[in-house]
């Protein structure tokens, strides 16, 4: 057999071997279809964990959280997590009143964030407002925080309220958050905090939907007891700290009564 023939056979053998190796590696990794099936399975486990956290009447409003790989739809949630307040955040007039009436502690109020859940195979992101008020320099500057919502973070949610759907991409939402911070650089307990960023993002993402202190009486039956309670306390703070209402005024007593009712629902 001539050298040219041997060379051709050698090359053919090498090609066949490389083809065999490639097929073997693909078989070990799983076919593209198998990989997709596994990715969808993992995403549905993630969505199931989120669905288990949904609270309040919104549980019946959210379309089923099921992974659809080709969709561009995203579900929007308002979530709360427990926080402990630093000394600069204490609004003692308000909390003393709450403690006197039903023993609410100063760390009972929640931190708010918006969570956007990709209904396809994309990640779930959380967006919130943080300030440097607990750092040594205490400049009281706001900053926009973005992070993936993983299993451990989801487990910390104390409330999860379905707001609606959005087609806005992650990059667009980041711009909305950064624009809000640029216009609201300094932290303020009553007028510029995590709730205000959340309200702004909800409105931008969900066609003008409002969950705010101003619309509280209309919204209170729609939100979860914990979120509604936080809203009521924010409004009570405003009355006591900014508007100098008396603790005995009818308006303050009405708010305290409502908070007490919501507090009982949260505890049960």
């Amino acid at each position: 057999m001539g050298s040219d023939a041997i060379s051709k056979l050698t090359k053919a053998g090498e090609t066949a071997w490389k083809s065999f190796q490639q097929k073997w590696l693909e078989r070990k990794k799983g076919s593209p279809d198998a990989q997709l099936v596994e990715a969808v399975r993992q995403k549905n486990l993630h969505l199931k964990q989120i669905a288990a956290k949904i609270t309040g009447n919104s549980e019946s409003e959210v379309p089923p959280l099921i992974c659809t790989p080709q969709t561009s739809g995203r579900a929007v949630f308002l979530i709360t997590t427990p926080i402990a307040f630093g000394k600069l955040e204490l609004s003692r007039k308000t909390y003393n009143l709450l403690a006197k009436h039903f023993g609410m502690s100063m760390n009972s109020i929640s931190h708010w964030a918006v969570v956007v859940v990709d209904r396809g195979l994309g990640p779930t992101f959380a967006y919130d407002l943080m300030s440097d008020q607990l750092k040594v320099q205490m400049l009281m500057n706001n900053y926009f925080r973005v992070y993936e919502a993983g299993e451990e973070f989801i487990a910390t949610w104390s409330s999860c309220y379905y707001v609606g759907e959005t087609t806005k991409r992650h990059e667009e939402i980041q711009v909305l958050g950064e624009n809000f911070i640029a216009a609201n650089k300094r932290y303020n307990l009553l007028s510029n905090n995590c709730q205000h960023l959340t309200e702004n993002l909800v409105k931008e993402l969900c066609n003008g939907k409002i969950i705010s202190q101003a619309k509280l009486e209309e919204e209170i039956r729609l939100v979860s007891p914990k979120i509604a309670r936080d809203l009521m306390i924010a409004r009570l703070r405003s009355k006591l700290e900014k508007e100098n209402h008396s603790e005995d005024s009818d308006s303050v007593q009405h708010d305290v009564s409502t908070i007490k009712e919501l507090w009982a629902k949260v505890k049960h």
Side-chain angles (χ1 to χ4, degrees):
M1 185 178 293
S3 60
D4 286 348
I6 293 174
S7 177
K8 288 180 181 178
L9 284 174
T10 301
K11 288 180 179 178
E14 289 175 352
T15 301
W17 172 245
K18 288 179 180 178
S19 176
F20 172 78
Q21 280 186 314
Q22 182 65 30
K23 289 179 180 178
W24 174 248
L25 290 172
E26 288 177 358
R27 186 175 179 182
K28 283 181 69 179
K29 291 192 300 182
S31 67
D33 286 345
Q35 292 176 47
L36 176 61
V37 169
E38 176 60 17
V40 170
R41 187 185 75 83
Q42 292 291 338
K43 184 59 180 287
N44 279 327
L45 289 174
H46 172 75
L47 296 177
K48 185 176 181 180
Q49 185 188 14
I50 292 173
K53 285 287 188 174
I54 300 173
T55 52
N57 294 338
S58 72
E59 187 175 4
S60 63
E61 298 174 5
V62 58
L65 285 176
I66 300 173
C67 177
T68 307
Q70 303 305 320
T71 188
S72 60
R74 296 170 181 85
V76 181
F77 293 87
L78 189 164
I79 67 99
T80 64
T81 56
I83 57 174
F85 286 98
K87 62 181 181 179
L88 292 179
E89 285 197 76
L90 297 183
S91 182
R92 292 200 174 276
K93 190 174 182 181
T94 302
Y95 282 115
N96 287 343
L97 179 62
L98 296 174
K100 180 174 71 175
H101 280 274
F102 43 93
M104 181 181 286
S105 65
M106 288 186 178
N107 64 354
S108 295
I109 313 306
S110 302
H111 177 68
W112 288 29
V114 169
V115 169
V116 178
V117 181
D118 193 310
R119 290 182 173 275
L121 292 171
T124 294
F125 283 106
Y127 309 89
D128 64 10
L129 178 150
M130 297 296 289
S131 77
D132 60 12
Q133 63 189 307
L134 300 183
K135 296 180 180 179
V136 175
Q137 68 270 28
M138 294 185 292
L139 298 175
M140 304 294 281
N141 290 327
N142 286 332
Y143 64 92
F144 183 52
R145 187 169 64 165
V146 180
Y147 46 100
E148 280 197 45
E151 183 177 343
E152 290 185 7
F153 175 57
I154 295 170
T156 68
W157 297 357
S158 53
S159 189
C160 175
Y161 171 59
Y162 172 70
V163 178
E165 301 288 319
T166 188
T167 57
K168 282 189 168 56
R169 295 176 289 106
H170 172 58
E171 293 78 13
E172 295 175 279
I173 301 171
Q174 283 185 294
V175 170
L176 291 173
E178 288 163 1
N179 287 344
F180 179 90
I181 296 299
N184 300 272
K185 294 179 180 180
R186 302 285 285 178
Y187 181 86
N188 185 288
L189 176 64
L190 296 172
S191 62
N192 192 16
N193 58 44
C194 62
Q195 292 184 11
H196 295 91
L197 170 70
T198 298
E199 291 167 8
N200 181 267
L201 285 182
V202 164
K203 185 176 180 180
E204 293 280 358
L205 296 178
C206 299
N207 299 318
K209 187 177 180 71
I210 296 174
I211 299 177
S212 68
Q213 297 166 37
K215 296 274 289 182
L216 185 57
E217 294 299 339
E218 298 175 30
E219 297 271 345
I220 198 164
R221 296 185 182 277
L222 300 178
V223 298
S224 74
K226 190 173 185 66
I227 292 173
R229 186 205 63 191
D230 289 349
L231 281 169
M232 286 297 302
I233 291 173
R235 188 167 77 170
L236 180 62
R237 277 177 174 171
S238 182
K239 288 179 180 178
L240 292 173
E241 311 294 336
K242 289 183 70 177
E243 300 168 24
N244 293 318
H245 284 221
S246 165
E247 291 185 13
D248 299 322
S249 70
D250 291 341
S251 177
V252 167
Q253 289 304 310
H254 170 76
D255 286 358
V256 168
S257 176
T258 304
I259 293 168
K260 188 173 184 179
E261 177 186 344
L262 293 167
W263 177 242
K265 290 181 181 179
V266 170
K267 292 179 71 175
H268 290 94

